[in-house]
Amino acid sequence: MAQPDKKLFENLSGKGKAIGVLTSGGDAQGMNAAVRAVVRMGIYVQAKVYFIYEGYQGMVDGGDNIEEVSWESVSSILQVGGTVIGSARCKSFRNREGRLQAACNLVQRGITNLCVIGGDGSLTGANLFREEWSGLLDELVQTGKIEAEAAKEYAHLNIVGMVGSIDNDFCGTDMTIGTDSALHRIMEVVDAIMTTALSHQRTFVLEVMGRHCGYLALVSALACGADWMFIPESPPEEGWEDLMCNKLSENRARKKRLNIIIVSEGAIDCHNKPITSDLVKDLVVKRLGFDTRVTILGHVQRGGTPSAFDRILASRMGVDCVLALLEATPETPACVVSLCGNQAVRLPLMECVQMTQEVQKAMDERRFEDAVRLRGRSFENNLNTYKLLSHKKNISELPKDNAPCSIFSAIGHIVTVFLKVLLHITDSYSFFHLIKENCGNKASPVSKSNFNVAVLNVGAPAAGMNAAVRSAVRVGITEGHKMFAVNDGFEGFAKGQIKEIKWGGVGGWTGQGGSLLGTKRTLPAKYFDQIAEQIRTNKIHALLVIGGFEAFLGLLEMVEGRGKYDEFCIPMVMVPATVSNNVPGSDFSIGADTALNTITDTCDRIKQSASGTKRRVFIIETMGGYCGYLANMGGLAAGADAAYIFEESFDIRELQANVEHLTEKMKTSIQRGLILRNENSNENYTTDFIYQLYSEEGRGVFDCRKNVLGHMQQGGAPSPFDRNFGTKISAKAVQWISKKLKETYRNDEGRVFANTDDSVCLLGMRRRNLLFQPVTQLKDETDFKHRIPREQWWLKMRPLMKILAKYKTSYDISDAGKLEHVNMCRRKDETGAI
C-alpha cells in the first residue's frame, strides 16, 4: 500500500492523448535512448505516440513523416548513435506559413503534446509554436482546413524539451544528452595519440568541437592533463604566447616526451580574435622548434555508440518528459527536463534559452568572468580545478601563511629584476626567462606551508584512482604542502613504503587504469603501532585515503585508535573509489562509471553476437558484492529485461513470471533478451540456476547463453567521467585538508592536533552537492554485514528499467513535477556542485 506522502505515476493516465516526438538540430549520441523512453513510457500510460521524422521539416511536410509507433518500433535502438527518426534544418518552420501547416498536420492526428529533443534553437522554435498555437488554429478554422470542434478540442499545445547537444552549451543543465559520449570519443583519440607522441617526442594540437562553448575542450583537458587549453569563455591573458611556450619547454626539460594542447573550435583571445589550431601549431614550431602535429576531431565526436551515462540520462529524461506532458495545464509554461547534480529537474524553457543567449552576449562584450559564471557552477568548478592543476595561481590566491620573505624584500627583488631587464633585455621571451631565473625557477610562486600530507589507496583497484592521486598531489603542492605517496595501502604504510612525490611524479597518470600506488584491502588496526611510528618518523600532518568500503572501515578504526595514539589526531579525508559504488555517504564512487561502461559495451557485443540467429536470451553476472548498482544501472543502460539484485529480494515465483513475460515478448518481432544478475543477489538462485531455469522454461521459444564478466569490470582506461570526477573531488579534498590544518595547528605546541569527529570525513556527492561528512555519523547509515548503505538513491531508478521492459510496476514520482527556476537551481548548487 502506497504511503500517503508518495506521489505515484499510476494516478496519471495518457488515455485519449497523443504525443509527438522529434529530434531537431545537430544529432547527439543518446537521442535514440531518449526517443525509446518517450515511446515506451507514452504507450505504457496508454497514450498514442507518433514519430515525427526529419524534425520540424517532417512536421511541416506531414504525410508519412508523422507515423504512429508501437512498443517494438524502438527495439534495438538504445545502443545506436545519432537519431533513427532523422534531424534536419527547416527554413519553412521559421515562417508563419510553415508553422500553420505544421499545426494542421498535428491537429489532424490529435497531437497536442510535443517532446522536442534538440538545442536552444530547436527549443526556442517549439516555444514560439506553442505561443502562436491558438492563433494558428483560428486561421485554420477560417480557411476551412480544420473544423471548429477540432480547434476547441485541441486548443492547447504542451511542449517539453530535452537538450540533445554534444557541446553542453545549454544553461540550466549540468549535462546535455551526447556530451559524455563525445568526451569518450575525444579521450579515445587522446589516449591513442599519446602513444605515438611519446615515441617521437611530439607536440599535438587537438581541435575539438564547441563553436560557442568550451565545455568539451575544458573537460577533456582536465581529463587528460593537457599542457594548455583554449576556450571561448576564458581567453588567455595578454602575453599567453610566451607563457605557453615557456611551460612547454619546461615540461620538455623535465623529460616529458609529449605535449598536448587542446583548442576549442570557437577559441578566442581577450580581444575576441580567433585562436585556431594552426595558429597554435605555427607558434610552437616557430618559437620552440618542436615537432608539432594538428588533429581536428570533427564529426568523430558526434558518432559512435552512446556511453552508459548518456543512455541512463536520456532514459531518465525521456520518462520524465512524458510525466511532464501528462501533468501540463494550459497555464504551465513550456519546460525543459534538466540534470542538476544527480537530480532531474524541470526548468522553464525560455529562462534557460535566455541565460544561454546571455553567455554569448557576455563573450561578445568581453565580460568573460560573467560568461563563466552564467555557464553554471559545474563549468566554473571545472575551470578553477584546471587552473589549480595547471599551476596557474594568481599571487593574490597563494597561501599567506609562512611567507618566505617580507613584502619589502619581495619588492626589492622585483625592482632588481626590472633593472636587469632595462639594462640587458629587449625581447619579451628573454624577459620571461630572466624573471624565472631570478624567482626560484618556478612558473608561479608557491609559499611553503611546512605541512606533510600522505596519499594512499585502500581496497580493490578502481579506474580513476590515478587521476585522483595526480590531482591530490598537484593541488597539495600548489597549496604549499609536501606530498607523500604511500604504496600498498595501510599495510604498506606500516612497512614504511612511503616517499615524497613531486609534481612531475604523477605526470601522465590520468589515463591509466588500476592503482599505480598499489592498493590492498588490509585494515589498519593490527598495524597501529607501526603506522603511528611512520606518522611520527615522516612527520605526516594529514591523510588522504582514496578507496572503497575498506577505506571507510579503515578510517573508522583510525578514529577509534585516537584514544591511544596521538599520532592519529590529524585531519583525514576519504574519497570514495570502488567499482561497486557501495560506499555510504556518496551517490557515486570513482571507478563505477568505467565499470558500467564495460558492462554496457559487453552486453552490446553479446547481443550482437546473436544477430541473424534464432531467438536467444543472455544471462550476465556482474560484480558489486551485495550492492546491485552495476546490475541495475547496467540493465537500464543496456536495455535488460530483468536485473536481479540483493536489495530487492525475489523468489521462484518471480523468476517464473519473468520467464513467462520474456516468452511472450519473444513471440513478437523481438529476437533477443538480456538478464543481469548481481553476483551476491541470492545464495540459492545462482547464475547457473537462473540459466538452467530460463533454458528449460523457454525451450522451443528461445535458447540461453550465460556470461560471467568478472574482473574485466575493474580493468581498462578510466572513463572521462571517472577521470573528471576523481580529479575534482580530490582537489576539493586537499583544499579541505589545507583548511583543517590551519584550524588545528597549535602554535604553542608546534604541532597539528585534531580529535573532533569532523576532522575525519568522507567527501561524497549527495544529490546536487559535494559534502564533507564525518565518518562516525555515517555508521548509522551503513549495513556493515552486507557492506552497503542502508538507503541507495539508484533504487528509485529501478522501476524505470521495469517500465521500459514492459513490466507493470509502481513508480514513486514525488521528486518530479516541481518546476524550478534557473537561478534557484544554481543557488541550491552553489555549495559544491561538481
Side-chain angles (χ1 to χ4, degrees):
M1 184 175 176
Q3 296 176 5
D5 59 334
K6 281 189 177 181
K7 179 181 174 187
L8 301 177
F9 91 108
E10 294 94 311
N11 301 324
L12 297 173
S13 174
K15 203 166 186 178
K17 295 184 178 181
I19 299 171
V21 57
L22 64 99
T23 53
S24 179
D27 65 300
Q29 309 96 318
M31 279 185 165
N32 288 326
V35 169
R36 171 180 176 268
V38 170
V39 169
R40 292 196 166 177
M41 187 62 174
I43 293 172
Y44 192 91
V45 297
Q46 299 179 301
K48 288 184 177 181
V49 185
Y50 290 82
F51 276 167
I52 301 176
Y53 291 100
E54 309 304 334
Y56 288 116
Q57 190 64 57
M59 195 191 297
V60 173
D61 294 343
D64 294 339
N65 289 300
I66 304 176
E67 175 186 70
E68 187 177 355
V69 291
S70 66
W71 190 276
E72 290 76 23
S73 300
V74 290
S75 293
S76 302
I77 70 168
L78 185 62
Q79 70 273 18
V80 179
T83 165
V84 296
I85 58 176
S87 179
R89 309 286 180 187
C90 181
K91 291 183 179 179
S92 54
F93 192 76
R94 297 177 183 176
N95 303 319
R96 184 176 172 83
E97 292 76 13
R99 294 193 290 275
L100 188 70
Q101 185 58 47
C104 182
N105 291 329
L106 294 185
V107 170
Q108 287 172 357
R109 293 163 179 81
I111 300 173
T112 56
N113 298 280
L114 275 185
C115 171
V116 181
I117 308 168
D120 62 329
S122 304
L123 297 177
T124 303
N127 189 67
L128 176 62
F129 190 42
R130 179 179 181 274
E131 289 175 347
E132 291 183 344
W133 182 257
S134 295
L136 293 172
L137 295 197
D138 289 343
E139 191 171 335
L140 289 171
V141 170
Q142 291 170 9
T143 55
K145 291 185 178 180
I146 64 170
E147 299 293 330
E149 290 78 11
K152 186 177 180 181
E153 184 178 357
Y154 306 121
H156 302 289
L157 178 67
N158 299 315
I159 300 282
V160 176
M162 286 185 275
V163 189
S165 166
I166 67 165
D167 293 340
N168 203 29
D169 55 355
F170 193 80
C171 292
T173 185
D174 286 348
M175 288 287 274
T176 57
I177 296 169
T179 302
D180 188 68
S181 300
L183 286 169
H184 273 259
R185 300 296 91 79
I186 294 169
M187 296 318 302
E188 286 163 9
V189 171
V190 170
D191 288 348
I193 277 177
M194 279 185 169
T195 57
T196 181
L198 281 167
S199 302
H200 299 280
Q201 284 192 295
R202 283 186 175 140
T203 296
F204 270 87
V205 182
L206 273 70
E207 183 180 303
V208 301
M209 282 186 166
R211 192 176 301 118
H212 303 295
C213 178
Y215 185 87
L216 289 179
L218 172 57
V219 174
S220 54
L222 200 56
C224 75
D227 297 272
W228 207 268
M229 169 204 70
F230 297 95
I231 59 172
E233 292 90 345
S234 182
E237 59 198 56
E238 290 277 12
W240 63 267
E241 298 90 344
D242 292 334
L243 295 170
M244 183 185 75
C245 288
N246 181 71
K247 183 171 182 182
L248 295 179
S249 61
E250 273 193 345
N251 287 344
R252 208 47 85 79
R254 292 193 194 108
K255 305 290 175 67
K256 185 177 179 182
R257 294 182 60 84
L258 79 157
N259 301 113
I260 300 288
I261 301 169
I262 295 185
V263 182
S264 176
E265 65 175 325
I268 53 175
D269 64 17
C270 55
H271 302 292
N272 278 8
K273 293 180 180 177
I275 296 176
T276 65
S277 48
D278 284 330
L279 184 150
V280 175
K281 175 201 167 184
D282 293 342
L283 177 68
V284 174
V285 172
K286 181 180 177 182
R287 291 282 188 91
L288 302 175
F290 290 173
D291 185 3
T292 307
R293 299 284 190 274
V294 171
T295 299
I296 300 175
L297 271 63
H299 282 75
V300 166
Q301 296 158 89
R302 288 194 188 278
T305 301
S307 67
F309 183 96
D310 273 329
R311 299 186 199 193
I312 294 168
L313 174 66
S315 298
R316 289 175 68 180
M317 286 185 168
V319 168
D320 199 47
C321 182
V322 174
L323 294 176
L325 288 170
L326 294 180
E327 293 174 339
T329 66
E331 292 74 35
T332 307
C335 72
V336 60
V337 180
S338 301
L339 184 73
C340 193
N342 187 33
Q343 189 175 6
V345 295
R346 298 177 196 170
L347 302 171
L349 189 154
M350 289 314 296
E351 280 188 20
C352 298
V353 169
Q354 286 161 9
M355 185 169 281
T356 303
Q357 292 169 347
E358 279 294 316
V359 177
Q360 188 59 51
K361 183 180 178 184
M363 288 192 288
D364 292 342
E365 295 174 358
R366 294 161 59 182
R367 294 183 288 109
F368 298 111
E369 288 185 5
D370 289 343
V372 170
R373 180 180 52 79
L374 288 166
R375 278 281 179 229
R377 194 67 176 174
S378 177
F379 188 96
E380 200 171 355
N381 284 346
N382 277 318
L383 184 58
N384 290 338
T385 306
Y386 176 78
K387 288 178 178 179
L388 268 176
L389 294 171
S390 298
H391 222 163
K392 292 166 70 176
K393 291 193 88 174
N394 297 322
I395 292 173
S396 61
E397 297 173 324
L398 292 171
K400 302 296 188 298
D401 298 343
N402 305 314
C405 59
S406 70
I407 187 67
F408 301 107
S409 62
I411 293 170
H413 190 63
I414 292 168
V415 170
T416 303
V417 174
F418 187 64
L419 287 172
K420 286 185 182 180
V421 171
L422 291 177
L423 292 171
H424 303 291
I425 306 293
T426 55
D427 70 293
S428 60
Y429 191 52
S430 299
F431 167 78
F432 190 89
H433 274 282
L434 185 60
I435 293 289
K436 173 184 161 213
E437 179 187 333
N438 282 270
C439 293
N441 200 31
K442 288 184 180 179
S444 58
V446 178
S447 306
K448 292 294 181 184
S449 69
N450 295 325
F451 291 127
N452 298 339
V453 179
V455 183
L456 64 156
N457 293 338
V458 176
M465 274 184 164
N466 297 321
V469 172
R470 170 187 174 270
S471 174
V473 168
R474 293 197 168 177
V475 172
I477 292 171
T478 305
E479 294 275 311
H481 309 317
K482 187 180 284 188
M483 302 300 294
F484 287 83
V486 180
N487 298 116
D488 297 334
F490 286 116
E491 187 176 328
F493 204 169
K495 293 177 180 177
Q497 295 172 216
I498 177 170
K499 62 181 179 180
E500 186 181 355
I501 188 164
K502 302 283 190 178
W503 185 276
V506 289
W509 281 33
T510 53
Q512 298 195 50
S515 168
L516 293 174
L517 288 184
T519 181
K520 289 190 176 181
R521 297 178 182 270
T522 314
L523 296 178
K526 61 181 178 180
Y527 297 115
F528 272 175
D529 289 338
Q530 298 95 314
I531 291 173
E533 176 61 30
Q534 291 300 326
I535 291 175
R536 273 197 311 272
T537 304
N538 294 282
K539 297 179 181 177
I540 300 301
H541 301 107
L543 278 184
L544 170 60
V545 182
I546 301 167
F549 203 85
E550 290 85 0
F552 173 63
L553 294 176
L555 285 191
L556 285 174
E557 289 186 358
M558 296 287 279
V559 172
E560 289 295 319
R562 281 179 164 181
K564 185 178 178 182
Y565 300 91
D566 276 0
E567 290 83 358
F568 298 166
C569 294
I570 57 175
M572 303 181 212
V573 64
M574 175 189 165
V575 168
T578 168
V579 300
S580 301
N581 198 33
N582 64 331
V583 176
S586 186
D587 292 350
F588 293 109
S589 296
I590 298 166
D593 184 71
T594 304
L596 205 52
N597 276 285
T598 300
I599 293 167
T600 306
D601 292 344
T602 306
C603 288
D604 288 348
R605 294 181 185 186
I606 286 172
K607 286 195 292 184
Q608 193 178 42
S609 71
S611 180
T613 66
K614 61 183 180 178
R615 292 177 173 86
R616 182 164 289 168
V617 174
F618 295 95
I619 316 294
I620 311 293
E621 181 181 295
T622 66
M623 294 176 76
Y626 287 97
C627 181
Y629 175 83
L630 291 179
N632 188 74
M633 302 307 278
L636 183 57
D641 295 279
Y644 300 118
I645 61 174
F646 170 78
E647 291 88 348
E648 189 175 282
S649 59
F650 57 96
D651 55 23
I652 192 67
R653 289 183 294 275
E654 184 172 342
L655 289 170
Q656 185 63 37
N658 292 156
V659 174
E660 291 170 1
H661 181 85
L662 199 50
T663 302
E664 288 303 310
K665 283 176 72 174
M666 287 291 189
K667 290 177 181 177
T668 66
S669 60
I670 292 173
Q671 297 285 315
R672 289 178 290 283
L674 183 66
I675 307 295
L676 270 65
R677 176 188 176 274
N678 166 246
E679 59 183 344
N680 288 341
S681 57
N682 189 292
E683 62 181 351
N684 296 313
Y685 302 131
T686 63
T687 302
D688 284 334
F689 177 89
I690 292 173
Y691 164 69
Q692 290 167 7
L693 177 68
Y694 273 78
S695 296
E696 182 61 31
E697 297 298 319
R699 191 184 300 275
V701 180
F702 57 81
D703 63 2
C704 282
R705 297 288 186 273
K706 67 175 178 178
N707 195 298
V708 178
L709 300 186
H711 282 77
M712 66 183 293
Q713 295 160 86
Q714 282 186 334
S719 68
F721 180 93
D722 278 331
R723 299 184 199 200
N724 192 26
F725 183 54
T727 297
K728 287 191 286 186
I729 197 170
S730 279
K732 196 171 183 70
V734 173
Q735 289 175 320
W736 176 88
I737 284 174
S738 298
K739 179 170 172 276
K740 283 293 177 184
L741 285 171
K742 291 177 183 178
E743 290 175 358
T744 58
Y745 184 75
R746 295 184 173 181
N747 287 312
D748 54 336
E749 299 177 24
R751 65 165 180 154
V752 171
F753 188 82
N755 65 348
T756 56
D757 284 350
D758 67 353
S759 63
V760 182
C761 285
L762 181 146
L763 174 56
M765 184 180 179
R766 285 284 181 93
R767 292 169 71 89
R768 304 186 187 188
N769 301 317
L770 282 172
L771 301 175
F772 289 95
Q773 305 146 94
V775 292
T776 52
Q777 291 181 13
L778 294 173
K779 289 166 71 173
D780 293 337
E781 301 179 20
T782 308
D783 175 354
F784 286 96
K785 180 181 177 182
H786 299 106
R787 298 160 60 90
I788 56 175
R790 294 188 188 280
E791 291 187 11
Q792 301 182 84
W793 69 272
W794 53 265
L795 286 171
K796 289 187 176 181
M797 299 292 104
R798 190 156 174 77
L800 262 64
M801 188 196 70
K802 293 183 178 182
I803 289 168
L804 298 177
K806 214 173 184 177
Y807 285 94
K808 289 294 179 184
T809 188
S810 180
Y811 183 28
D812 179 9
I813 56 170
S814 302
D815 288 340
K818 300 168 186 173
L819 189 67
E820 298 187 7
H821 294 280
V822 179
N823 289 334
M824 183 188 298
C825 183
R826 287 200 75 243
R827 279 199 302 274
K828 287 181 180 179
D829 201 35
E830 289 293 321
T831 56
I834 65 162

